[in-house]
Amino acid sequence: MKRFLLATATLAAAATAAAQPAVIYELGGKNDKSFGEAAWRGAEQWKKETGKPYLEFEIANAAQREQAARRFAERGADPVVGVGFPQASAIEKVARDFPKQRFAIVDMVVKLPNVQSFVYREHEGSFLVGMLAAMASKSGKVGFVGGQDIPLVRKFLCGYEQGAKYANPKVQVLSAMTGTTNAAWTDPPRGAELTKAQIAQGVDVVFSAAGTTGFGIMQAAKDAGIYAIGVDSNQNHLHPGTMLTSMVKRVDLAVYQAFKGVQPGVTVLGLKEGGVDYALDEHNARLITPAMKAKVEQARADIVSGRLKVIDYTAANACK
């Protein structure tokens, strides 16, 4: 009996010592140059700092969300991080079944004592790129092409509209959504089609908030010689010269923080926390004048201090 107990204790200790964090990427994977890639960078930062390995999985269909989370939990992975709101239900189910293990979800709230939920104030970063769009536009018309038509994407649009009109009260904002299902995030041809339709109406700057659908949006902008704005990761390098900026959403911070140690509850990341921003680098530095930058930086300071309020669409499912 003593030998059995000793063996059991040894196995438990080994399992604990071998516990690795795991990350589950949403459709589009870790090489999407956007949302998934940002998550991957956070995992890689943790790996570089600790010298430890981590587990990862790129889902190919909806059924794999729960399958992956459950298999990682069964292997003793801790924490298991689901990247993207579609994974919330899977994380919630598996976290209930494995109450002694820790989990994290990005872009949704799961109210369980062993889950950390990361959400962002995307409207704040979108406000800043909206300002840049309006100031860069010569036609007075700027566009927005979103992915799936859900409140989260409307949150980007609402912030963008507010920023554009803050910089130029007379600016017109045209918007379109790619679709109503998860497939809307991975449809570059549809993104290009919607962008061309806006260009035909006079738009000369378009904000892409659509996952890999954005590849079509940004390519259409380049082909037409207008500006595009990237999303999530810094996408300025994709088409230097026509990428005005990118609305950076630091998904890497969420994954990195979760890997370092889950703190159950809701973590909100906005401008103040460095969770969102606009990208300025060698690829777009000549496109943003000192005057444009000064106005945006003043707006940033005002938002962080609370002097400038940016409406959060998701607060009441309305941009008002």
Side-chain angles (χ1 to χ4, degrees), residues 38 42 45 118 120 250-258 269 273-275:
Q45 181 184 353
F118 291 92
Y120 291 77
R250 297 289 305 279
V251 182
D252 58 309
L253 288 181
V255 175
Y256 174 74
Q257 288 181 25
L269 301 172
E273 299 78 14

Side-chain angles (χ1 to χ4, degrees), residues 215-239:
F215 294 152
I217 298 168
M218 292 179 283
Q219 184 64 54
K222 179 186 177 183
D223 292 344
I226 72 161
Y227 292 133
I229 296 173
V231 75
D232 295 334
S233 289
N234 181 355
Q235 298 181 317
N236 294 353
H237 65 283
L238 295 180
H239 300 292

Side-chain angles (χ1 to χ4, degrees), residues 172-316:
Q172 294 182 49
V173 181
L174 281 65
S175 64
M177 299 292 178
T178 307
T180 57
T181 68
N182 284 339
W185 300 109
T186 55
D187 193 350
R190 179 60 174 159
E193 179 185 344
L194 293 171
T195 303
K196 291 175 183 176
Q198 292 188 355
I199 293 171
Q201 296 178 71
V203 161
D204 59 359
V205 184
V206 60
F207 181 17
S208 161
T212 57
T213 295
F215 294 152
I217 298 168
M218 292 179 283
Q219 184 64 54
K222 179 186 177 183
D223 292 344
I226 72 161
Y227 292 133
I229 296 173
V231 75
D232 295 334
S233 289
N234 181 355
Q235 298 181 317
N236 294 353
H237 65 283
L238 295 180
H239 300 292
T242 58
M243 294 298 298
L244 180 63
T245 187
S246 295
M247 202 296 275
V248 179
K249 180 176 173 180
R250 297 289 305 279
V251 182
D252 58 309
L253 288 181
V255 175
Y256 174 74
Q257 288 181 25
F259 274 23
K260 286 189 70 177
V262 162
Q263 298 179 18
V266 180
T267 300
V268 183
L269 301 172
L271 284 176
K272 184 177 181 179
E273 299 78 14
V276 295
D277 207 343
Y278 72 99
L280 184 62
D281 58 25
E282 69 273 18
H283 300 298
N284 71 331
R286 67 180 182 82
L287 305 180
I288 297 178
T289 67
M292 291 167 67
K293 183 179 179 182
K295 290 180 181 179
V296 171
E297 290 302 323
Q298 182 60 59
R300 176 210 297 278
D302 290 344
I303 292 170
V304 169
S305 71
R307 288 191 296 272
L308 176 55
K309 302 292 185 182
V310 184
I311 297 168
D312 177 355
Y313 179 91
T314 59

Side-chain angles (χ1 to χ4, degrees), residues 111-123:
K111 295 181 179 179
L112 288 175
N114 57 334
V115 179
Q116 183 170 9
S117 303
F118 291 92
V119 292
Y120 291 77
R121 292 193 290 272
E122 294 94 347
H123 50 297

